Amino acid sequence: MSISLIDYIFERSGLSFVSDMKFHRDENLLRLIEGIAVDDFPEEEWKDLHEYLFGRRIKSDDPVYIREYIIKHIEKPL
């Protein structure tokens, strides 16, 4: 895809600002991420999304693991 994963999710989120995704880690964001196939975006995009949402770079190079980690932890408070 020519759009980044972060922008793809933001455009579908209904949020006013991309930075709102950090603070509105809720069911809506969870559903959006669950609806994206892991191979729709490259590994680096999944790493970038993890870093953006959680403030740290994940060490894994496995996009399946990274996506599942994000889904598992999306509803946990900041």
Side-chain angles (χ1 to χ4, degrees):
M1 287 197 159
S2 60
I3 186 172
S4 75
L5 178 55
I6 292 171
D7 288 338
Y8 180 87
I9 294 169
F10 168 67
E11 287 180 2
R12 286 152 182 79
S13 70
L15 297 171
S16 298
F17 302 98
V18 71
S19 60
D20 289 343
M21 289 191 328
K22 293 180 183 181
F23 307 105
H24 293 277
R25 297 186 333 196
D26 58 12
E27 187 68 27
N28 181 49
L29 190 59
L30 180 64
R31 280 192 315 263
L32 286 169
I33 294 169
E34 287 176 330
I36 302 169
V38 73
D39 54 353
D40 284 350
F41 289 90
E43 165 206 326
E44 200 62 30
E45 292 289 330
W46 289 103
K47 284 182 163 184
D48 290 346
L49 178 62
H50 178 279
E51 183 174 12
Y52 192 76
L53 293 176
F54 301 108
R56 62 189 181 281
R57 194 74 168 170
I58 196 165
K59 293 180 181 176
S60 176
D61 290 328
D62 179 2
V64 173
Y65 174 83
I66 298 167
R67 180 181 175 274
E68 291 306 313
Y69 182 96
I70 292 168
I71 289 169
K72 182 177 178 182
H73 293 88
I74 199 77
E75 292 185 289
K76 293 193 176 183
L78 294 173

